[in-house]
Amino acid sequence: MAALEEEFTLSGVPLGTGPDGLLGVEQCDKTDQFLITDSGRTVILYKVSDQKPLGSWSVKQGQVITCPAVCNFQTGEYIVVHDSKVLRLWTNEDVNLDKVFKATLSAEVYRILSIPGTEPLVLFKEGAVRGLEALLAEPQQKIETVISDEEVIKWTKFFMVFRHPALIFITEKHGNYFAYVQKFNSSVVSKYTLLLGQEEKSVIQSFTASLCRKFISLMSLSSDGCIYESLIPIHPSDPENNQLQRVVRSLLLKTVVSGNARNALSVLDQDHVAVLGPPLPASKECLSIWNTKFQTLQISKELPQGTSGQLWYYGEHLFMLHGKILTVIPYKCEMSSLAGALGKLKHGQDPGTQTMPHFVNWEASQGLGSQNSEPSKRILRRRKIEASVQPEVPASQQLLSTIKKDSEKHIEIELRKFLAIKRTPDFHTVIGDIVIGLLGRCKTEPSFYPRNSLMQLVQMHVLSYSLCPGLMEVALEKTDVEMLQLCLQQFPDIPEAVTCACLKMFLSDAVQEEKMEEQTGILQNGFNPEEDNCDNCDKELSEKPQNTIEETTSCPVIPKRAALLNAVLHSAYSETFLLPHLKDIPAQHITLFLQYLYFLYLKCSESATMTLPGIHPPTLNQIMDWICLLLDANFTVVVMIPEAKSLLLSLYKFVKSQICICSELNKIEVSFRELQKLNQEKNNRELYSIEVLELF
């Protein structure tokens, strides 16, 4: 028998408002605490027994979390990835994610996997896997491609197999599914194709897996409403054979839910699975527990507010979104017996309640050891790491002492030698200390400015504004626009006040522009002087109406200044904190910036598929957001400037035209809805029919 106890709400705040619901629910090193990752910008730490949040962290506006946050069970730190490549580490003491450790990776991450007893793994979208420590030691290391073209990873899980970590992930290509299994005590990656059994070809909606002796029991819930099982060998029979191996999907449970794209499946123990979905096409969604051994439904609970089609389980708790509210349902499963499966156990009979352990603890009954050895393992691992770091400490200290007294040229030479040494896990903090040492001497010696060394350190892709907060201030004092451009491109946590200070400098007078012309190293990421100079802008925009103002038919700034302004457009910001600083920029500079933004808009609007030239051109959304920000902050000032009148009129005409377009699109949307309703009724018609549709 199985029982679902009374549900309780973990959070009264709506979560999973996006189309994909929640990104994930992950257990922390304390079994009663869980990390909830919303589909957007927020990670929340909850304590289930108290039903309250213990902490909340968000990335900046413009940044998006792209995989669930997890806990590093060895260190107690939390790990998350935003914008597919930016990895963040933090602890409970940290308040702002912008100021925690950051590493920018060279490839996009699919998922971070973490379980007790081993270090976290990072699975990349191309199928490659790296240990967290090795990845932090060299974030920009080359990541190989494991899966074939057009293969997409759909699901993954991390196990401990006889004290060795093992990973399985499932891919899909053209309706065919493949399983990859990798054990990390060897470099062998085994690939299997999941063959259909008696069922017709169908779409797999959900996967779950458990260990069964020498096999991984992979269960899948298909669009036909049935659950299938595939037994995948943990140890391949021929490790040297690189040919594609085959495993057959066999029917485990028939028609447990109706074919629905929002169904979910989780294995609870060796005899029970939890299924989320409607039992009939017209019925409401239900949470059900099935006995796979005797193929019987044990219990079901209706969820009238619907779900996101996602289900997580830890210990004796099931997590899901009921409506938009994160809900926890405790459950219990008794030891499997025929009488219990048929619901015929006597009331006084106590077959024993089986406590659902975390999936890692299943291994304990298979000779994998207990968690009591974790403290000693952690101490030994920490000692090993500390021993490997010790030879690097004198080198960094020696470089810091060199910074205090030697010339800029000698420091540059010694820095190159230091960077050639093998990197350690604390490499990013060491680089931060070196930058702070260089900036400290800059403040005490005004003539000292090791620009080449600072540029080399910034280009290591391990720094952030929080690690070296004085770097951009010194660059502003030295009017080093190339350094500022590089920082804007690489630092995701720049305060809005510093961003506006850079913008003021980039929009300075003609004297400053002449200095910019002399710096040949500025990256032309927005324009190419040979292709997008101010002379040919008139020619390209000659098709525009005659009443378009002259300032918008040619680029109002030189290409190098445009590249600097594009770096500002790409920077992350919070609108609340940015607006007050925009008000401090002179009105003439605001007008110039608006002219440039309007020029970019015209360039983008020439063709729906056109993109601006350069490596990192601004997007249309970024252009429009900044136009709105500048007008919100400075409209009452700009409207009084005569030279801004024609620009404001053009912007007014543009907004008016956009309102008309939106109005027409809304009208068309109503017609499309009616067409969709008619299309849904086609199933009730004969094979051949003539239809007349009238649109008003």
Side-chain angles (χ1 to χ4, degrees), residues 244 324 549 568:
L244 184 64
K324 294 297 182 181
I549 61 173
V568 176

Side-chain angles (χ1 to χ4, degrees), residues 121-138:
L121 296 180
V122 179
L123 174 62
F124 291 88
K125 290 185 178 180
E126 299 298 326
V129 182
R130 293 289 188 276
L132 180 65
E133 293 181 5
L135 193 60
L136 294 180
E138 190 178 359

Side-chain angles (χ1 to χ4, degrees), residues 445-462:
E445 300 180 25
S447 61
F448 178 79
Y449 184 54
R451 185 175 183 274
N452 293 337
S453 297
L454 290 172
M455 291 287 289
Q456 188 175 5
L457 290 169
V458 173
Q459 291 172 349
M460 296 301 295
H461 302 284
V462 296

Side-chain angles (χ1 to χ4, degrees), residues 170-217:
I170 307 299
T171 64
E172 185 269 340
K173 179 179 180 180
H174 303 317
N176 299 312
Y177 293 87
F178 307 91
Y180 292 78
V181 178
Q182 181 174 358
K183 289 187 62 180
F184 292 91
N185 59 341
S186 66
S187 58
V188 177
V189 179
S190 303
K191 181 178 180 180
Y192 304 86
T193 179
L194 304 181
L195 298 179
L196 300 177
Q198 299 176 353
E199 80 279 15
E200 297 179 356
K201 193 170 185 178
S202 57
V203 177
I204 300 180
Q205 301 170 338
S206 181
F207 291 94
T208 187
S210 63
L211 291 176
C212 181
R213 300 188 190 132
K214 297 182 180 181
F215 295 89
I216 295 176
S217 172

